[in-house]
Amino acid sequence: MASSPCGNSNFDSGLEIKTRSVEQTLIPLVSQITTLINHKDKPKKSERTLAAIHRVGQAVSVAVGRFVSVGEAIASENQELKDEMGQACFEARRAGDAIAQLTDMGSSTTTQSDGRITVFSDRAAMVKAARLLLSSVTKVLVLADRIVIKQIITSRNKVLVTLDHLERVSTFQEFVQIFSQFGNEMVEFAHLTGDRQNDLKDEKKKARMAAARAVLEKCTMMLLTASKTCLRHPDCESARINKDAVFHRMRCALEQVIEIVTEARSSGENKVLPASVYNGIKEFKANVECLRENLYCLTPQSLSGQLEALVERTEDFTDSAYTSHEQRQAILALCQLARQDTQQLVHAWVEAQSAHAKEPADDMEVAILKTCQSITDLRRELHKVAVIRASDLLKVHGEQLPLRALKAAGAEGNLEAVAEYSRTLTEQKEQLVETCRLLCHVSCTEPLEITCIHAEETFHVIGPQIISAAQTLALHPSSKIAKENLEVFCEAWESQLCDMALLLREINDVFEGRRGDKKPYLSLPRPGKHSTSLKTAKAVKLDAEEQTSMAKLGLELRLLSSDVDTEVEKWDEQEHDVVRQSQSLASMAYSMYLFTRGEGLLKTTLDLFHQAEVLSEEGLQLCSSLRTFSSQLVDEEKSVVVTEMEKLVALCQQLQMGAKTPVQGKTATFQKVDSCIQTGRNLLTVVLSVLPLCNKLNRKVKSERSSLTSPQDWKERQDASPPVKEEGALNSKNSNGFGVKSLEQHMASINLLESK
């Protein structure tokens, strides 16, 4: 790092700002210094303007003084940075004093012959002081950021030491004691890395951090049950394999976090993402279009070679055993069309170069347009194939038949059945892994590609872990611990399927251009619209302990929102009011889930209460739509819908009252947060039961209307036909629930082992 870049036009030479917090801290300072320098362009000032400049200069000096005091305190607590931080603080203070002196009315002003006052007679000195100040302040901030990185590394090291101890324990008593310590250390590490993830500017690093943290979050529960199983059955080889895989994955995730925060050059940051079809198409299309500006920017051979490399990447689609014949033929036909259009373009391009043309002729312009269109059509077809494959797989795997069969076979001690269903699960795993690879090809952003790779790796790892857990249960069918362990791994599989559904929706949104402005109800409520009763409330954030307490409740909310989205997709009428309002509720519930993790748009408790009010209002709108819909139904069907609607109304009113009720004190605020999220969860549960019922009834009404010749016939048929009561839809439960017990519950259950 350059200690004093005053002589360089780039004030922060050698300093790269990687976090939003550092960037946001610098913005006001840059604004004030810019104000000072810009005023030099008009050296003659009125006394009022001069006084304003003086105030800005003094404010900068005072702010720098306070800032430097904090920096010096940090330096005194961190000896390894003391010298660098001390030098940066010294330079910042010197620059602040220089700016104060240059803007001082007594020393920096002169009177012209016409009586007007001028300021900044030495412009070079002001520019030099400004550069020195910005450079030194940036350096102090970057050095302070190193302290945050050091905290994360220290926390990681503590976790690793405890992890090693956990791996070597031989008694339950020792395990309980060490795991309690491990749980506390993981909570600390989770919050440090969560704050860092939210602070990162690089979206790619942010996605990698999110993936690593997701692994740690899920593996913590797996580690607990896998270790308990190994202690209970120390001679069981499948239990040992299961446990070793969890410990290995946790260590890899911990290492990835450190690679991200320290920008280690060993493997993580330098790991190149697999070449995706989307990136190949994007690059190819950009090169084709640049020919309009420069006919000599690349060679025809390089463009043709680029297309062939792109076509080769599509083999992941065409060579797949799960791609239908029609889909394969469509892809191959579009690849051939792209080749033909590119050949025509190359022919016209070579002629233009031979004629020493400076711009493309009309025939070449037509060839450029045709080539771009054919490559766009190829991209669209590949996207369609990947999305259809993923959607179909999620529907099939939503029933969780192999997992249920494995649990049953393990509980019966049937090793042959476990082996048979393990082969079925392995086949499903391979399908999911391949589908994640295809989704990676059509992901339009690097963060989405990273998320696809994470999903692929997760399915690849958890599949064999479920099988080893099932084998352990089959060998010890009376073991409650082995049964619990298998449940945890199956729940992790189900959770990853939910994450894949969310990923699929995000990929679709980006492809269709809906990212950023999609679903305005995700944004915070507009100021003043929903805050009449909360004007004096204090906006606070949940602390680490409160977020831990909220984790399970938030996870339930997330999975409910995902299930609602799945039910909504089954509707033929996507513009139906019930569909739109249910989607809105699901998205708002998801933002409340993110709040429990310290992520997303809802930053404070006040934001959450605002969101709860909006959610209750949207829920009441859904009730109105359900009332309108029920008017089309016969008596018994109508009564069923009305009953569910009344439950919804009561919950919406409860949520609205709870969100508007003023509270004081930390405990009361936390209880209010807990109440709002619980009520939101209950509200979404009712919505989830209403959606399939209304979908069936809506199809029935449409079918009856289309099969009758007149409204009178329709009415007579209604009177004559007994209504069908949809008990199954009402009594159905969410089969995709992710009921992982909280860490505290697992700890409490350690001593409740079977006596044998």
Side-chain angles (χ1 to χ4, degrees), residues 164-232:
D164 290 340
H165 291 163
L166 269 179
E167 196 170 19
R168 294 195 299 267
V169 296
S170 56
T171 66
F172 275 106
Q173 184 178 2
E174 186 182 7
F175 176 77
V176 171
Q177 180 182 357
I178 297 177
F179 192 83
S180 177
Q181 176 187 344
F182 175 76
N184 293 331
E185 291 171 353
M186 281 300 297
V187 168
E188 177 193 1
F189 186 73
H191 285 288
L192 286 172
T193 53
D195 291 340
R196 187 67 179 181
Q197 177 185 324
N198 291 330
D199 199 24
L200 288 170
K201 290 172 60 181
D202 189 318
E203 292 298 325
K204 181 179 172 183
K205 292 178 184 175
K206 188 176 287 190
R208 292 183 65 232
M209 179 76 86
R213 293 181 70 242
V215 170
L216 293 172
E217 179 183 349
K218 292 175 182 176
C219 280
T220 300
M221 292 303 173
M222 297 178 192
L223 183 144
L224 175 60
T225 56
S227 297
K228 286 164 58 180
T229 305
C230 231
L231 286 170
R232 181 67 184 85

Side-chain angles (χ1 to χ4, degrees), residues 321-612:
Y322 308 107
T323 301
S324 69
H325 176 72
E326 292 77 11
Q327 291 172 335
R328 184 177 293 106
Q329 291 302 113
I331 294 171
L332 291 174
L334 286 168
C335 287
Q336 186 58 31
L337 179 61
R339 282 194 181 104
Q340 292 172 0
D341 290 339
T342 302
Q343 286 173 0
Q344 292 178 4
L345 171 60
V346 168
H347 179 71
W349 183 11
V350 171
E351 287 187 348
Q353 285 184 332
S354 300
H356 303 290
K358 294 183 179 180
E359 58 184 24
D362 291 345
D363 60 336
M364 184 173 173
E365 177 61 32
V366 170
I368 289 174
L369 291 172
K370 287 177 66 178
T371 303
C372 289
Q373 184 59 50
S374 60
I375 207 72
T376 299
D377 291 343
L378 175 61
R379 177 199 170 197
R380 188 176 293 110
E381 180 64 26
L382 294 172
H383 175 86
K384 184 175 75 172
V385 170
V387 167
I388 290 175
R389 167 88 66 82
S391 300
D392 290 345
L393 272 181
L394 288 170
K395 289 176 184 177
V396 170
H397 298 336
E399 300 175 2
Q400 307 298 335
L401 295 179
L403 296 186
R404 294 178 191 173
L406 272 173
K407 292 176 190 176
E412 294 169 358
N414 190 337
L415 283 168
E416 290 184 3
V418 166
E420 178 184 348
Y421 294 122
S422 294
R423 287 191 290 270
T424 304
L425 183 66
T426 299
E427 184 180 350
Q428 286 194 353
K429 179 206 74 176
E430 294 301 328
Q431 290 179 9
L432 287 165
V433 165
E434 184 179 284
T435 302
C436 290
R437 200 170 298 135
L438 299 189
L439 288 175
C440 185
H441 272 303
V442 300
S443 296
C444 302
T445 67
E446 280 191 332
L448 286 177
E449 288 182 34
I450 290 168
T451 308
C452 288
I453 293 169
H454 166 67
E456 177 185 338
E457 292 172 348
T458 301
F459 285 123
H460 186 75
V461 170
I462 292 183
Q465 288 179 312
I466 291 175
I467 292 171
S468 61
Q471 290 169 344
T472 303
L473 179 58
L475 291 169
H476 308 279
S478 62
S479 172
K480 294 179 181 178
I481 287 182
K483 183 178 180 181
E484 179 189 21
N485 187 47
L486 178 57
E487 284 285 350
V488 167
F489 281 95
C490 289
E491 287 164 352
W493 178 277
E494 293 164 8
S495 173
Q496 189 56 49
L497 286 174
C498 292
D499 289 345
M500 185 175 175
L502 296 172
L503 172 63
L504 179 61
R505 186 172 63 182
E506 180 73 5
I507 289 171
N508 255 331
D509 290 347
V510 175
F511 180 80
E512 295 171 9
R514 295 199 300 258
R515 189 174 189 178
D517 57 357
K518 183 194 174 191
K519 300 179 181 177
Y521 42 77
L522 276 173
S523 301
L524 293 180
R526 290 187 295 275
K529 185 177 179 184
H530 303 285
S531 56
T532 54
S533 64
L534 297 168
K535 289 180 180 177
T536 59
K538 183 180 179 182
V540 297
K541 294 184 178 182
L542 296 183
D543 60 25
E545 183 180 351
E546 291 167 339
Q547 284 190 13
T548 303
S549 301
M550 283 288 168
K552 183 173 184 294
L553 191 59
L555 189 57
E556 292 174 2
L557 202 59
R558 187 200 77 167
L559 289 158
L560 279 170
S561 68
S562 179
D563 290 337
V564 168
D565 286 330
T566 301
E567 285 298 330
V568 159
E569 289 172 2
K570 297 176 182 177
W571 280 62
D572 298 328
E573 297 179 54
Q574 287 295 306
E575 294 304 314
H576 197 289
D577 286 343
V578 172
V579 169
R580 290 189 298 100
Q581 286 151 358
S582 298
Q583 284 178 322
S584 174
L585 290 170
S587 289
M588 283 189 276
Y590 186 74
S591 69
M592 293 171 76
Y593 151 71
L594 291 177
F595 171 81
T596 66
R597 293 172 57 90
E599 301 171 3
L601 296 170
L602 308 179
K603 301 299 184 186
T604 66
T605 52
L606 191 56
D607 295 337
L608 178 76
F609 301 149
H610 287 170
Q611 185 74 88

